[in-house]
Amino acid sequence: MFFISLITYFIAIYLIYFKNIVWKPILTAIATIILISSAIFSIEIAKQYAIFLIIIYLTSIFIKLTARFIWQIVKSIDHRRKFITCFLYLLLYCLALFLIINTTKQEWLNWFYFLIYFPLDYYYFQFIPWPDQKEKQEKISKQDEWEEGITFAIIAATLIHVFFLQPFTIPTSSMEKSMLVGDFLIVSKVNYGANIPNTPLFLPFMHQKIPGTKNTPSYSKLIQLGYNRLPGFQSVQNNDIVVFNFPVDTLRESIPFDKKMNYVKRCVGVAGDSLMIIEKDIYINGEKLINTENIITQFQYIIQPKDSVYVGSNVMSSLEQLLIENDIETYAQYSSQQGYSKLMKLNEKRKNERKYGPLKNTGFFIVFLTDDEKRIIEKTVSKWFVFSEQEFDKNLFPKTLIKDWTANNYGPIYIPKKGDILALNKENIHFYKKIIEDYENNKLEISHNDVITINEQTTTSYEVKMNYYWMMGDNRHNSEDSRVWGFVPENHIVGKPIFTWLSINFNAINKKSFIDKMGFIRWERSPIIWILFTIFIINRGKRFLKSKQAASK
């Protein structure tokens, strides 16, 4: 598909520059090709074609502007002087800042490296209206002006995305009710300090793969800079909600740590803590971790008919609707006349009926409830149904040890911190094997007589190079977290969610009343809607006042 998009681009360039055809009919033709390919082949094929075409176009703009910049330097002595002056200033500034940081050990001064963009703007880009800067003498075409504007916007947005703020969507219910499926967040990277990209060769705004493709990476591993973090305003604390790179991402082999999937969980244990879970309660260093009013935990329960009670279809439908109306995550078991039986979400019933025919609820439900929801639902349906709690059945960390640990009763386990000297033996090596091998890049071998070798040297200890954290979801029985895959390294920490700007409730369309369906947008969690509405009212008010003033004249 890439080559088809490339051919389309070259044809468009030929028609524009050699046949003097304007861009509007060409754009219309490309849009028509996209629509036809989506109808004949698939939407995914059309999406790939469009995305590759955009990438090729933007790449050509960068190549064109870079070539123009180099040519100006080569052909003009004034541009050569400007280039030498600018980059000499930048070199001296960076050298001075480097010496100051290494002398004073004040890592927060690293943020001053961003000031180099101001002299670059002063000498070249000139998007800031500098007081003593003369206007450009040469006139540029509208196309060149448009291309420069696109380039600046992409560079500025990429810098903000990488070093300051990043949008993030909640895709799963592991943090329900603290964070809801359909929440659109802004994640701050300055709170904990931004990670300087380990993989600097990447396409902007694309994390792992090019959208519309199966596994085409959006980055190159040609350059790997390692772990470098700018100083932050705070460290990760117990009970912080944290966005991080999934430490055991297995979508691709040897994927760089900064390109692993983004996850969001609550950090219940920080570096240096000892953690235990006793009857669902978390204990840190022997003290019970107290949930604040903002931490609402959920657990998994089974609802099924009582043995001696007949449950009619009307009761079954009433329970389904009760769970839907209260936005309770539910899986129900359905069977068809052909013998098909499956657990599915309530909102997937209609889709599966189109595939398998009429489905009948067997009366078996898996629900995820807070304590308050459990009391209300259990009381409402206790005449027909029985409640029972059920832990999720997962292969818990560390998987190489056979223990009687469960999701509700887990540990004790120590969370390593930077500088720790871990005493290694056959009993605990399985807890720290992944840290030594994968996260800190050592060669670890364990012989048949339990002799431990690190980097071909026999040892009984190891010094930890990074801090580690223990992440868990608030939806405790519906969350794959550190209980399953272990520690989260410091270099995987991405940032801290600071606010929700939009929240969409996909379940609202299944509700009965029109008012409830209007809850498709969670208005109380969507300030962007109110901001846009306010701007609209202000603009309409200004237009109304102007029209009144014009009429009075």
Side-chain angles (χ1 to χ4, degrees):
M1 190 52 65
F2 172 79
F3 292 105
I4 296 174
S5 301
L6 189 63
I7 292 168
T8 303
Y9 174 77
F10 281 125
I11 291 172
I13 292 296
Y14 172 77
L15 293 174
I16 291 170
Y17 287 98
F18 295 97
K19 297 297 183 180
N20 297 320
I21 297 176
V22 295
W23 60 269
K24 286 185 179 179
I26 294 174
L27 195 61
T28 304
I30 291 172
T32 305
I33 292 172
I34 293 171
L35 290 173
I36 293 173
S37 60
S38 64
I40 296 176
F41 302 105
S42 69
I43 295 175
E44 288 299 317
I45 294 292
K47 190 190 295 184
Q48 285 182 36
Y49 174 76
I51 290 172
F52 278 128
L53 201 56
I54 292 170
I55 291 171
I56 292 166
Y57 172 66
L58 293 177
T59 303
S60 70
I61 290 176
F62 278 98
I63 293 172
K64 177 182 175 181
L65 293 177
T66 303
R68 183 194 296 168
F69 174 73
I70 294 171
W71 176 242
Q72 285 177 340
I73 294 170
V74 170
K75 75 173 184 177
S76 169
I77 189 169
D78 289 335
H79 281 285
R80 287 200 291 272
R81 286 172 178 169
K82 187 193 293 186
F83 176 82
I84 293 169
T85 303
C86 177
F87 283 91
L88 186 60
Y89 281 143
L90 293 181
L91 179 63
L92 292 173
Y93 173 78
C94 291
L95 180 60
L97 186 58
F98 174 78
L99 293 173
I100 291 170
I101 292 171
N102 279 270
T103 303
T104 62
K105 306 300 182 184
Q106 298 296 315
E107 293 188 359
W108 61 272
L109 292 172
N110 281 305
W111 284 100
F112 281 83
Y113 281 113
F114 284 100
L115 295 181
I116 66 175
Y117 293 103
F118 290 98
L120 281 173
D121 184 82
Y122 180 85
Y123 280 97
Y124 295 108
F125 307 130
Q126 298 176 13
F127 285 99
I128 300 173
W130 299 96
D132 61 338
Q133 194 72 278
K134 295 180 180 179
E135 293 184 2
K136 292 182 179 179
Q137 298 296 322
E138 56 179 354
K139 292 183 179 180
I140 60 173
S141 66
K142 286 187 176 180
Q143 181 180 341
D144 289 340
E145 188 176 350
W146 171 251
E147 289 177 351
E148 286 185 6
I150 290 176
T151 304
F152 175 76
I154 291 174
I155 291 173
T158 301
L159 289 173
I160 292 170
H161 185 274
V162 170
F163 293 105
F164 296 94
L165 300 171
Q166 177 181 339
F168 184 79
T169 307
I170 300 296
T172 68
S173 61
S174 68
M175 286 298 294
E176 205 98 2
K177 306 282 182 172
S178 304
M179 289 182 166
L180 308 177
V181 174
D183 278 358
F184 291 81
L185 312 174
I186 294 295
V187 175
S188 167
K189 295 190 173 181
V190 297
N191 283 60
Y192 303 136
N195 248 336
I196 296 174
N198 165 61
T199 310
L201 302 179
F202 63 92
L203 293 173
F205 319 121
M206 300 180 193
H207 184 58
Q208 279 195 330
K209 63 185 184 71
I210 296 174
T213 66
K214 289 185 177 180
N215 283 311
T216 305
S218 60
Y219 59 89
S220 169
K221 293 191 290 185
L222 186 64
I223 299 175
Q224 297 285 282
L225 300 179
Y227 172 50
N228 298 280
R229 184 181 293 275
L230 290 169
F233 300 132
Q234 65 179 107
S235 59
V236 180
Q237 302 294 323
N238 297 92
N239 278 338
D240 276 0
I241 296 176
V242 180
V243 174
F244 57 94
N245 298 121
F246 187 37
V248 289
D249 195 336
T250 54
L251 291 179
R252 298 188 196 94
E253 291 295 325
S254 62
I255 185 170
F257 67 82
D258 59 330
K259 292 300 175 184
K260 295 180 180 180
M261 289 177 63
N262 286 332
Y263 262 45
V264 59
K265 305 283 183 187
R266 190 178 299 280
C267 178
V268 297
V270 299
D273 284 344
S274 291
L275 177 141
M276 282 189 72
I277 303 174
I278 303 174
E279 297 299 327
K280 300 189 290 189
D281 292 323
I282 298 173
Y283 290 79
I284 300 295
N285 302 323
E287 295 185 8
K288 184 177 176 180
L289 192 64
I290 304 300
N291 290 344
T292 65
E293 59 181 11
N294 297 322
I295 303 175
I296 305 171
T297 54
Q298 289 192 137
F299 298 96
Q300 177 176 290
Y301 298 92
I302 302 297
I303 303 177
Q304 49 192 341
K306 291 182 177 179
D307 293 337
S308 58
V309 176
Y310 169 75
V311 181
S313 58
N314 60 329
V315 175
M316 218 64 95
S317 298
S318 297
L319 176 56
E320 287 182 358
Q321 199 60 39
L322 176 67
L323 297 168
I324 288 173
E325 297 294 334
N326 287 278
D327 294 320
I328 293 172
E329 184 184 9
T330 304
Y331 292 82
Q333 188 177 52
Y334 291 93
S335 61
S336 69
Q337 295 176 348
Q338 290 76 27
Y340 168 82
S341 180
K342 184 183 178 183
L343 271 173
M344 65 185 75
K345 286 189 174 183
L346 291 182
N347 56 13
E348 294 177 349
K349 179 182 176 183
R350 293 178 184 175
K351 181 180 71 175
N352 282 287
E353 279 186 326
R354 290 194 293 269
K355 187 176 181 180
Y356 300 104
L359 296 174
K360 180 181 179 182
N361 195 320
T362 64
F364 181 84
F365 296 85
I366 298 176
V367 294
F368 300 92
L369 305 171
T370 64
D371 290 340
D372 290 338
E373 288 172 339
K374 176 183 179 293
R375 281 192 292 269
I376 294 170
I377 300 295
E378 188 173 19
K379 183 178 180 181
T380 305
V381 300
S382 59
K383 181 179 178 180
W384 302 277
F385 296 91
V386 61
F387 261 66
S388 59
E389 183 179 334
Q390 186 181 62
E391 301 178 42
F392 68 82
D393 186 19
K394 300 285 186 182
N395 189 5
L396 299 176
F397 172 84
K399 296 176 174 54
T400 48
L401 290 184
I402 300 174
K403 287 181 174 289
D404 57 354
W405 293 1
T406 68
N408 288 347
N409 292 276
Y410 186 93
I413 190 166
Y414 177 72
I415 306 166
K417 68 176 184 294
K418 184 178 180 179
D420 276 346
I421 306 296
L422 300 175
L424 303 179
N425 52 56
K426 64 179 181 180
E427 282 77 28
N428 70 4
I429 186 61
H430 303 282
F431 289 93
Y432 308 119
K433 185 174 185 291
K434 196 166 186 65
I435 288 177
I436 298 169
E437 274 190 318
D438 297 342
Y439 302 148
E440 300 192 0
N441 302 313
N442 297 286
K443 183 180 178 182
L444 173 67
E445 294 179 348
I446 306 170
S447 67
H448 64 278
N449 56 351
D450 298 321
V451 174
I452 298 169
T453 303
I454 299 177
N455 298 328
E456 300 182 352
Q457 292 187 354
T458 302
T459 185
T460 57
S461 65
Y462 177 76
E463 182 177 353
V464 180
K465 305 298 188 298
M466 284 189 292
N467 289 320
Y468 290 83
Y469 303 93
W470 195 263
M471 307 291 183
M472 287 175 59
D474 290 350
N475 195 351
R476 293 288 167 75
H477 288 162
N478 195 26
S479 171
E480 284 206 358
D481 49 41
S482 287
R483 291 169 293 178
V484 175
W485 31 256
F487 308 107
V488 175
E490 175 187 308
N491 62 357
H492 284 52
I493 301 297
V494 173
K496 182 177 183 177
I498 51 176
F499 68 89
T500 302
W501 60 274
L502 177 66
S503 184
I504 296 176
N505 182 6
F506 299 102
N507 182 56
I509 58 176
N510 298 304
K511 297 183 179 181
K512 285 187 175 180
S513 71
F514 176 76
I515 299 297
D516 289 334
K517 290 182 185 293
M518 287 292 291
F520 178 75
I521 294 177
R522 299 185 182 104
W523 303 100
E524 73 284 359
R525 298 173 69 90
S526 303
I528 188 66
I529 301 296
W530 299 108
I531 292 170
L532 294 175
F533 179 74
T534 303
I535 293 171
F536 173 77
I537 294 296
I538 291 172
N539 286 335
R540 295 300 296 179
K542 286 181 178 179
R543 288 187 180 184
F544 177 76
L545 290 175
K546 284 182 179 179
S547 63
K548 292 287 284 184
Q549 290 172 357
S552 63
K553 291 179 181 179

